[in-house]
Amino acid sequence: MEAIVYEEFGGPDVLRPAQVEDVHAGPGQIRVEVRAAGVNPVDHKIRNGWMEAAFPTRLPATPGSEFAGVVDETGRGVTEFAVGDEVLGRSTTGAYAAYVLADVGAVAPKPEALGWPEAAALPVATATAARVLDELAVAAGETLLVHGASGAVGSAAVQLAAARGATVVGTASPANHDYLRVLGAVPVAYGEGLVDRVREAAPQGVAAVFDVAGKGALADSVELRGGTDRITTIADPDAAHHGVAFSAGGGSLPDEGRRLAEYAEAAAVGGLRIPVERTFPLREAARAQELSEAGHVRGKLVLLPGER
Ligand SMILES: NC(=O)c1ccc[n+]([C@@H]2O[C@H](COP(=O)([O-])OP(=O)(O)OC[C@H]3O[C@@H](n4cnc5c(N)ncnc54)[C@H](OP(=O)(O)O)[C@@H]3O)[C@@H](O)[C@H]2O)c1
């Protein structure tokens, strides 16, 4: 089958299209013909060799962990999905490929009204955001500060927290402030002077902080909270130094399939939006990762294996 592979760690130029061994569904798994695959920052971090301590990678490797597509093979014991079903989810094999394998617990039906790219944009962003909001126990009436609110996980976090009844203050560059208002957040610029700007935007104080961006906002977060509790980062390697929680786990989420189905239904009727900034043919994965690595994507980048 066609897939994007890399045989050594390095920059985007190590990625190339190749023919690789077909994959087949094991017990509890489905094989899916990929129509769209989401690009995540962790894909380039792994490709650069930066994640070896956490996720050792056997080379050659295929990047990617989320997809939308059509079930074309079911493994032993699978009753939840059948060949021909349209689905989205998190994969156990690289999703920058014509086919992926997925455990049925990490898959949900794709509503007909949801496009392929929009479906592939959901799994990691929504599951990560939901997991951290649960860990932070964000509740109605509270104020949540989200660092990095205009990216994929941030966009999901703003909307899911607002849906819980929280007030959300979100950081982004000024170009993304109107976008954040539409999502339901009070926008604030990141960088020098952040503490004062957040205090002005939220004179009531912030009850919890979700650091999505991981770009050095933890000291300011501790100052704003007056302590280290209810501050979680998913990307700042200095978490332990600041005494705050680091939430690992990629897109894993308890009861993942059911909750992903709920988010997909909401997205299909416009109640949840992870906008797709741009799509690329699968063979242009290197360009997509380059753009992702530059760090200023609004929403999501998506690869389309069927596009030439
Ligand atoms: N631990 C986990 O389980 C887990 C799971 C998923 C993701 N992650 C990590 O979480 C991070 C975010 O993922 P993502 O998919 O949301 O990334 P993304 O979509 O690529 O994020 C891009 C966004 O980051 C914003 N940004 C850039 N610099 C910023 C800064 N200094 N302060 C605030 N925002 C800034 C940009 O806004 P502007 O363009 O306005 O600057 C842009 O909209 C990545 O490092 C990823 O690897 C971790």
Side-chain angles (χ1 to χ4, degrees), residues 128-189:
T128 305
R131 186 185 78 235
V132 174
L133 295 181
D134 287 353
E135 289 167 359
L136 286 169
V138 174
E142 291 189 326
T143 299
L144 172 71
L145 171 61
V146 178
H147 297 298
S150 54
V153 178
S155 296
V158 167
Q159 295 169 87
L160 295 180
R164 289 178 180 219
T167 297
V168 185
V169 176
T171 72
S173 63
N176 279 323
H177 285 190
D178 283 345
Y179 168 72
L180 289 189
R181 283 188 195 95
V182 171
L183 293 188
V186 178
V188 166

Side-chain angles (χ1 to χ4, degrees), residues 8 16 31 51 75 100 155 280 303:
E8 55 180 324
R16 61 177 180 83
R31 184 173 74 174
M51 304 297 287
V100 283
S155 296
F280 296 82
L303 302 174

Side-chain angles (χ1 to χ4, degrees), residues 41 45 131 148 150-153 173 176 190 212 234 247 250 295-297:
K45 295 180 188 177
R131 186 185 78 235
S150 54
V153 178
S173 63
N176 279 323
Y190 52 76
V212 179
I234 58 169
S247 179
H296 295 285
V297 175

